[in-house]
Amino acid sequence: MHDEDNFDLLYVLLPHGWSTCILYLGDRIHELYISHVFGDPIGDFIEATTALLKGASAVEFIWWDEPGGNRWQITRNPEQHHKVTVTVTEFSSSCGELITQEKTLAEFEIKISHFSTIVYFQMKKTAALLGEKSFEKNRSGEFPYAAFRQLEFFFNA
């Protein structure tokens, strides 16, 4: 596991119920494909980040693809409470099936403030783009504004 100050991500809300998330971890790049058909991947991401900022010791969410997907498990470091271990796994199970044969895609430790800042500004970018009619046209209803306002509270306080 690496201590990643050299972490970033790009979250792209695509038209018609899809997203892509590109993870940058030092010299590694991982591209995750996300379907919105089976849940609210953006809402899950925002709510998990907000829960960490509120003091949660662990959060987990799944981003489904068709088939397969990625599980994010984020656990607070018990000795250094300002850090979390992020583990992203990939699996081939379809939605509704038992998730088996997970393979670790990435595992790293990062400050909660670093992680949450990256998530916040990617979501802020997406919310701003949805204000453009041409961008919003085929993405209507894909953004959880109420959950985003709760995350935004930590950055505007």
Side-chain angles (χ1 to χ4, degrees), residues 76-77 79-84 110-114:
R76 189 177 297 272
N77 182 317
E79 285 91 35
Q80 297 179 305
H81 296 278
H82 68 289
K83 291 184 175 182
V84 289
I110 189 168
K111 292 177 186 175
I112 294 170
S113 61
H114 186 157

Side-chain angles (χ1 to χ4, degrees), residues 27 39 48 72 84 97-98 102 109 113 121 123-125 139 142 156:
D27 60 351
W72 289 66
V84 289
E97 295 178 352
L98 181 64
E102 289 183 77
E109 186 170 75
S113 61
F121 281 102
M123 297 301 110
K124 186 173 179 74
K125 170 201 76 175
R139 296 167 178 91
E142 296 289 346
N156 293 330

Side-chain angles (χ1 to χ4, degrees), residues 40-136:
D40 181 6
I42 297 173
D44 294 342
F45 197 30
I46 291 171
E47 288 170 8
T49 303
T50 302
L52 290 170
L53 290 168
K54 289 180 176 180
S57 59
V59 295
E60 178 179 306
F61 58 92
I62 293 174
W63 282 347
W64 292 98
D65 193 358
E66 295 179 26
N70 300 97
R71 180 192 313 261
W72 289 66
Q73 295 170 305
I74 307 172
T75 307
R76 189 177 297 272
N77 182 317
E79 285 91 35
Q80 297 179 305
H81 296 278
H82 68 289
K83 291 184 175 182
V84 289
T85 298
V86 179
T87 304
V88 181
T89 59
E90 60 185 359
F91 56 86
S92 59
S93 304
S94 294
C95 187
E97 295 178 352
L98 181 64
I99 296 174
T100 59
Q101 300 179 347
E102 289 183 77
K103 175 184 161 193
T104 300
L105 185 66
E107 187 171 43
F108 57 97
E109 186 170 75
I110 189 168
K111 292 177 186 175
I112 294 170
S113 61
H114 186 157
F115 182 80
S116 62
T117 298
I118 289 168
V119 172
Y120 170 69
F121 281 102
Q122 284 299 306
M123 297 301 110
K124 186 173 179 74
K125 170 201 76 175
T126 302
L129 287 171
L130 286 166
E132 298 288 329
K133 284 187 179 192
S134 61
F135 187 85
E136 192 269 344

Side-chain angles (χ1 to χ4, degrees), residues 24-43:
Y24 297 91
L25 298 164
D27 60 351
R28 298 163 287 148
I29 298 173
H30 303 283
E31 191 168 5
L32 311 179
Y33 302 99
I34 308 154
S35 172
H36 293 232
V37 170
F38 306 111
D40 181 6
I42 297 173

